[in-house]
Amino acid sequence: MPRRFHGLKKPRVRQDWSKETLYNLSRLTLPPAANKTFFQQKWLAKSMTRAYHNPYVREGQWTRMFDRRLPSVVSMDHRYLARHDGSEMAGGRGAGAEVQGREDEEGEVGARVTPPKTPYMHMTFWPLERRLDTAIWRALFASSVKQARQFVVHGAVKVNGKRMVYPGYALNPGDMFSVDPERVMFATGARKRKRGSAVSEQDLREERERSRAAKAAEERGMEEGREGEESDVGMANLESDEEREALATKPEEEQDARKAMKNLMTRAKRILEDAKRQLSGKRQQELRAFAQSVRKTMSKYRPETEAAAAAGSESGSADTTIESLETALAEIMTKIPSDTLSTLPTSEQQAAITASASASNAQASPESEKEDAYTARKDAELLHAALERARANPLDVTRPYATPWKPREWMSAFAFIPRYLEVNQNVCSAVYLRHPVARPGLAEVPTPFAGETVGLAFNWYLRRR
Amino acid sequence: MWRWLNGPGKVFRKALPGSTNYMNAYDKQGNLLRTRNAGREAGSRRNKPEEETLEEDEETAARRDLENPDLTDEEPRDEESDARGGIPKERRSDMRPYPLNDQFSSQAVLSEELREELYTQVAVYKHDISSVAASFSVDIRRVAAVVRLKTIEKQWVAEGKRLAKPYSEAVLAMLPTTPFRPNTANPVTPHEPINDIEVHAHTRPQIFWPASESRQFTREDAAKVFDSKLLPADKRIPLPMLVDLERWKLEGLDRQERTKKQIEADDKARREEDEKVRKRTEWQARTQRVVQGRRWDFKFQDISAEKVGKDGRGKDAVGYRYGMPHEDRKRGMLKIPTSVE
């Protein structure tokens, strides 16, 4: 383990999602080969590649794992196989007859399309991809191989349902590994600023930058700039007073049902605002409409929910308010038919509506008119979706990551999943389908280095220096 | 470093909505290459159709087309580009996370809908895994894995365990995905090549093999030349059934006949499998004597002492371990399991 892991003087690309690695990746070049001996070139290539490909595996261990036979596949076309039996390859002058009438890219008739070369050299480090810690990182369950290794050692990883504590376990094709979802969320989510708060540093920075930009725009006094930024300032202000209060208290702990609902609304707003920052104009419009409809629904059905809350619980405690709200929503959704707007009203439907209306609280069911029923259902659905989203991604100070959960910074530049893994992100499990292979034009071992560099490293490990 | 991170590198801080965000999609100044090219292309589309968009050589492009069929140079549809915030769709070169390595690109993963559909096809409709793999153009092993993982997911939902939904949504938004669009003209987008054969070690050496000109020297003969036991490519691919189906089609058989033949072939395969199992159990009954223990069954079987070979250390022989002490109890020797059942 080197002393300066992310040194900038000797830039090393490491297996992690850090900004240092990203920067080093951006200035990574082919090492100059001029006035270097072949040995020196190989040494440099080897040290570069090994700094990336799991430096925690000791060199002796790796040289024992190294194999000069590199796996590759060729994909066959079943239609071609059915049409020809292989003897056509002996046609013409012995190397296959020319195909008549077919033009290739240069417009040359009958020229053979040469398939791309198989990049064997890029597969040099494939045995390391079999290791459990590397596979966890490749499946995007940890932010670095080192962290993945820690997860394994700390017993958060299971292979085929059994706890596996060896990060060097070589996965076999068909092995399923699963990581504790809490750990995955911690590893990939934004980091908390402080122990007691759910806010992350990256959110704070964003807020700061936004307000700074707004201030700059104001100072400049630009007409079109101000309009856009003012709303942002407003948003920031809203966060600063109303939301802070809402975020500080959990709705489950709220005594008053109305307060709880208001709290919930604020949180729903926050969720939507989070989405807004990333989404385009059309989606934003939709979301705004959603927020409005939620407000409408709340005002419409508040009496009912409050009544339900009062009936259900003795002192309107904890989660009963929320649950009653949800049950009320479910009731609304079941009572009101789904496609009343499109179809013509039949007498049966009308009867059903009136029956349901009479069955439920009389004051709660506002109108039995078609349009209103439809919009109410839509509203209820939307609110339900918001609740679902809020429940899936709650604000919780006890979690070790910033909540509501957000991916950490710089992650997107490293986010890819190689084809030899099949990942289910919902349960934080993945299956190691097969060993990585090279195919024409593509090597499945992700490596940041050029073919020449990896080739030199391969040559180093051939042990004929 | 900080200058770079706050300058050109700033684009990598947050994910690009509705798109991947890899390093090769940007130039040195941190400008998205495809927006620049799209603007230039829009101006010169009439006279020079798509020349500067393709930066790689044509054969790799053709190859990648097969790999990632959804990455075409066609004009993006309006609602899609709106979801992406007006950014054009990624090109093949934009999918490379490592600028120096042009032999690696991020490949699409299965979208949530496609996974759900595969699970329904296999677990609910009880379709054959290989036929599902063929119709969705997804590797057989991947289909099996998807079903396995989905089963766990359903189990979690039934148990009321919390899924990592926000994580899943965020990650799938960052990755390229193979969509599944039911109720459209072409709902299935091919995900990956399904008929891959491994480059067999015996086929690596180049062999000069004179054969008479009049001879019909087929794939089967060529396989025999490489190794007497090597099978030809049409039998080594994971879905050899597809070749048979295509052959029957070429022979001019109509649909009903083809289905009939396929059912016959399936039945035959099943019968063979049953026969194998039966033979195995028969052999066990004949040669093995099982004594029920309290915790384990003891199985006794006759062995041949001749198997030890000349040096007495044959790998399959009984008593192989004698004379070759294991080192696994030595200090510092770590005994990592090689497989987990």
Side-chain angles (χ1 to χ4, degrees):
Chain A
M1 178 58 201
R3 208 155 48 86
R4 293 199 71 92
F5 196 61
H6 285 305
L8 293 180
K9 273 199 186 141
K10 245 192 203 173
R12 299 276 190 220
V13 182
R14 304 283 186 186
Q15 282 184 328
D16 59 19
W17 301 343
S18 64
K19 47 185 178 296
E20 289 88 353
T21 295
L22 197 68
Y23 174 57
N24 287 341
L25 193 61
S26 78
R27 56 189 187 139
L28 186 69
T29 48
L30 257 179
N35 54 46
K36 275 208 176 71
T37 65
F38 191 39
F39 183 94
Q40 283 169 336
Q41 288 174 39
K42 283 191 289 186
W43 173 275
L44 188 61
K46 169 227 135 201
S47 60
M48 274 169 74
T49 48
R50 281 287 285 137
Y52 177 77
H53 289 284
N54 218 330
Y56 312 108
V57 177
R58 273 168 286 133
E59 193 63 7
Q61 225 175 321
W62 156 241
T63 43
R64 262 176 281 135
M65 287 163 84
F66 172 77
D67 191 353
R68 64 182 178 79
R69 291 160 297 186
L70 302 171
S72 69
V73 294
V74 179
S75 64
M76 308 301 288
D77 181 13
H78 64 270
R79 283 183 208 89
Y80 180 85
L81 290 178
R83 204 151 286 159
H84 306 281
D85 66 348
S87 58
E88 84 284 354
M89 298 303 279
R93 295 173 67 186
E98 284 174 356
V99 188
Q100 290 301 314
R102 256 190 68 194
E103 281 190 27
D104 70 340
E105 286 86 4
E106 279 87 45
E108 202 179 326
V109 179
R112 204 172 287 275
V113 180
T114 47
K117 284 180 182 164
T118 308
Y120 278 104
M121 285 302 105
H122 287 280
M123 300 296 294
T124 302
F125 292 96
W126 82 266
L128 289 173
E129 301 297 309
R130 262 186 92 175
R131 283 173 60 97
L132 182 58
D133 53 357
T134 314
I136 288 169
W137 180 65
R138 293 282 188 216
L140 307 182
F141 291 154
S143 65
S144 67
V145 167
K146 206 177 177 191
Q147 193 176 36
R149 189 188 174 89
Q150 192 192 36
F151 288 171
V152 179
V153 170
H154 288 197
V157 177
K158 283 178 177 171
V159 174
N160 292 340
K162 283 179 189 155
R163 201 163 66 101
M164 170 61 69
V165 290
Y166 301 108
Y169 171 70
L171 289 162
N172 295 314
D175 272 352
M176 185 180 76
F177 56 94
S178 35
V179 188
D180 181 17
E182 272 302 291
R183 303 267 184 142
V184 173
M185 304 271 270
F186 167 70
T188 57
R191 270 178 296 180
K192 268 168 121 170
R193 199 165 131 266
K194 267 187 292 180
R195 195 134 190 256
S197 80
V199 190
S200 66
E201 189 69 61
Q202 65 189 55
D203 277 353
L204 282 181
R205 191 193 314 100
E206 259 169 47
E207 212 171 281
R208 242 181 285 133
E209 274 171 16
R210 235 179 308 119
S211 59
R212 204 179 299 148
K215 220 172 271 171
E218 256 177 46
E219 276 170 17
R220 261 182 274 131
M222 285 164 69
E223 280 305 318
E224 77 281 348
R226 193 157 56 185
E227 201 175 304
E229 302 296 341
E230 259 173 12
S231 67
D232 274 354
V233 172
M235 219 154 63
N237 284 342
L238 185 118
E239 268 175 32
S240 58
D241 45 79
E242 194 182 331
E243 279 207 357
R244 282 276 158 67
E245 178 211 351
L247 297 182
T249 56
K250 279 191 272 182
E252 287 88 14
E253 288 157 7
E254 207 66 62
Q255 294 299 312
D256 187 17
R258 262 177 87 168
K259 224 175 178 183
M261 294 218 297
K262 199 178 163 201
N263 195 338
L264 205 72
M265 268 292 283
T266 334
R267 276 175 51 192
K269 213 186 282 169
R270 190 187 159 87
I271 290 164
L272 297 174
E273 248 155 36
D274 281 346
K276 203 192 283 179
R277 273 168 215 151
Q278 298 161 0
L279 289 175
S280 62
K282 203 177 167 189
R283 286 289 292 153
Q284 274 185 34
Q285 275 181 3
E286 276 176 25
L287 288 172
R288 225 168 290 139
F290 161 68
Q292 272 182 1
S293 63
V294 168
R295 210 171 302 130
K296 260 187 223 161
T297 330
M298 297 290 280
S299 62
K300 234 181 238 176
Y301 293 100
R302 199 187 294 138
E304 188 194 19
T305 48
E306 271 189 344
S313 66
E314 285 77 34
S315 59
S317 75
D319 37 32
T320 45
T321 48
I322 307 302
E323 247 155 48
S324 67
L325 178 67
E326 267 166 30
T327 47
L329 275 175
E331 263 176 39
I332 295 158
M333 278 164 75
T334 49
K335 270 174 205 159
I336 300 162
S338 56
D339 45 6
T340 39
L341 196 71
S342 55
T343 56
L344 275 168
T346 58
S347 57
E348 284 172 29
Q349 275 179 344
Q350 281 283 21
I353 292 166
T354 45
S356 66
S358 60
S360 70
N361 202 339
Q363 96 191 89
S365 59
E367 296 100 358
S368 61
E369 211 197 319
K370 206 108 268 193
E371 296 254 341
D372 263 17
Y374 179 76
T375 48
R377 186 193 160 78
K378 272 269 172 246
D379 291 350
E381 269 176 7
L382 286 167
L383 190 54
H384 196 71
L387 275 176
E388 197 79 334
R389 201 162 166 179
R391 172 126 37 75
N393 198 0
L395 184 129
D396 189 353
V397 189
T398 58
R399 305 263 174 224
Y401 44 86
T403 46
W405 188 89
K406 258 188 187 180
R408 64 167 53 196
E409 292 176 325
W410 314 110
M411 178 181 169
S412 61
F414 302 102
F416 56 84
I417 297 179
R419 281 262 164 99
Y420 56 85
L421 296 172
E422 176 55 39
V423 185
N424 189 327
Q425 283 86 8
N426 286 326
V427 290
C428 294
S429 304
V431 174
Y432 183 78
L433 293 179
R434 53 184 167 80
H435 296 314
V437 288
R439 56 176 75 242
L442 183 107
E444 282 188 348
V445 174
T447 179
F449 306 103
E452 291 89 330
T453 313
V454 204
L456 285 166
F458 180 81
N459 264 282
W460 172 270
Y461 290 111
L462 284 177
R463 311 214 36 100
R464 270 187 243 122
R465 286 161 209 155
Chain B
M1 181 178 108
W2 290 107
R3 204 171 335 128
W4 185 82
L5 287 176
N6 292 322
K10 206 174 178 186
V11 287
F12 302 113
R13 194 184 276 278
K14 290 191 78 181
L16 211 57
S19 160
T20 55
N21 196 22
Y22 299 127
M23 195 168 265
N24 212 44
Y26 295 90
D27 63 1
K28 286 278 177 212
Q29 281 73 42
N31 303 316
L32 201 57
L33 284 168
R34 60 179 185 269
T35 51
R36 204 177 63 188
N37 283 359
R40 200 199 308 158
E41 201 183 302
S44 64
R45 187 179 285 277
R46 295 286 88 80
N47 13 354
K48 280 197 288 175
E50 48 181 70
E51 269 182 28
E52 54 266 292
T53 47
L54 286 179
E55 290 176 353
E56 357 174 25
D57 47 335
E58 287 295 324
E59 59 253 24
T60 51
R63 185 73 221 159
R64 296 258 168 75
D65 254 344
L66 214 153
E67 307 267 316
N68 268 346
D70 51 333
L71 300 178
T72 46
D73 291 277
E74 65 185 30
E75 252 188 285
R77 272 174 290 167
D78 280 341
E79 68 270 28
E80 271 187 27
S81 98
D82 190 59
R84 265 181 267 118
I87 303 166
K89 204 168 170 127
E90 299 102 314
R91 300 160 304 158
R92 274 166 235 120
S93 57
D94 295 334
M95 305 301 279
R96 286 180 7 211
Y98 300 126
L100 278 189
N101 184 355
D102 53 358
Q103 306 290 349
F104 176 77
S105 65
S106 169
Q107 290 173 292
V109 298
L110 302 177
S111 61
E112 229 18 292
E113 304 87 57
L114 187 50
R115 283 182 207 167
E116 191 60 48
E117 181 63 20
L118 289 176
Y119 175 80
T120 337
Q121 291 283 336
V122 175
V124 181
Y125 300 143
K126 305 284 179 202
H127 287 166
D128 192 15
I129 285 194
S130 51
S131 59
V132 172
S135 52
F136 285 87
S137 190
V138 177
D139 195 312
I140 303 182
R141 290 165 290 188
R142 193 179 302 280
V143 176
V146 164
V147 173
R148 195 173 161 193
L149 292 166
K150 263 281 164 193
T151 314
I152 294 173
E153 193 185 319
K154 306 264 171 194
Q155 205 179 320
W156 278 31
V157 170
E159 285 171 8
K161 257 176 137 178
R162 227 181 67 177
L163 302 177
K165 261 275 177 280
Y167 165 71
S168 166
E169 275 169 21
V171 167
L172 287 179
M174 288 179 202
L175 295 172
T177 51
T178 305
F180 174 67
R181 303 188 191 90
N183 312 323
T184 51
N186 45 349
V188 175
T189 314
H191 180 65
E192 57 191 337
I194 42 174
N195 275 326
D196 284 347
I197 54 170
E198 165 204 0
V199 175
H200 198 278
H202 282 135
T203 62
R204 288 244 164 90
Q206 193 178 10
I207 296 175
F208 186 71
W209 188 264
S212 73
E213 222 173 283
S214 58
R215 188 177 162 193
Q216 180 90 349
F217 194 79
T218 60
R219 272 193 294 272
E220 211 151 334
D221 299 324
K224 287 257 170 54
V225 170
F226 283 118
D227 187 68
S228 57
K229 282 182 188 164
L230 193 69
L231 292 172
D234 22 7
K235 291 192 180 131
R236 284 175 60 211
I237 57 176
L239 297 168
M241 201 62 214
L242 290 179
V243 179
D244 288 340
L245 278 173
E246 191 69 22
R247 256 187 212 137
W248 295 335
K249 208 188 271 179
L250 289 176
E251 278 167 21
L253 301 183
D254 64 357
R255 201 185 170 83
Q256 285 167 347
E257 281 178 75
R258 270 185 275 150
T259 345
K260 205 176 129 199
K261 273 198 144 185
Q262 193 181 358
I263 290 168
E264 269 172 29
D266 287 350
D267 281 348
K268 197 181 159 211
R270 207 170 300 129
R271 255 181 280 124
E272 273 171 8
E273 191 64 30
D274 290 348
E275 182 71 5
K276 227 186 225 171
V277 172
R278 195 183 59 78
K279 271 193 176 161
R280 187 167 173 75
T281 47
E282 219 169 62
W283 173 83
Q284 278 180 343
R286 207 172 57 234
T287 57
Q288 281 187 358
R289 192 162 55 85
V290 181
V291 177
Q292 302 273 338
R294 194 162 51 84
R295 285 173 72 180
W296 295 284
D297 291 352
F298 294 98
K299 292 184 176 177
F300 294 98
Q301 188 184 324
D302 287 341
I303 51 102
S304 161
E306 304 301 313
K307 269 189 177 171
V308 292
K310 270 181 191 164
D311 57 352
R313 286 178 171 186
K315 261 231 162 210
D316 302 322
V318 175
Y320 157 65
R321 64 179 180 274
Y322 298 125
M324 311 208 29
H326 275 158
E327 293 194 324
D328 54 1
R329 295 298 177 92
K330 271 188 172 179
R331 195 172 66 94
M333 279 296 191
L334 191 62
K335 203 175 174 186
I336 298 175
T338 51
S339 68
V340 183
E341 287 305 310

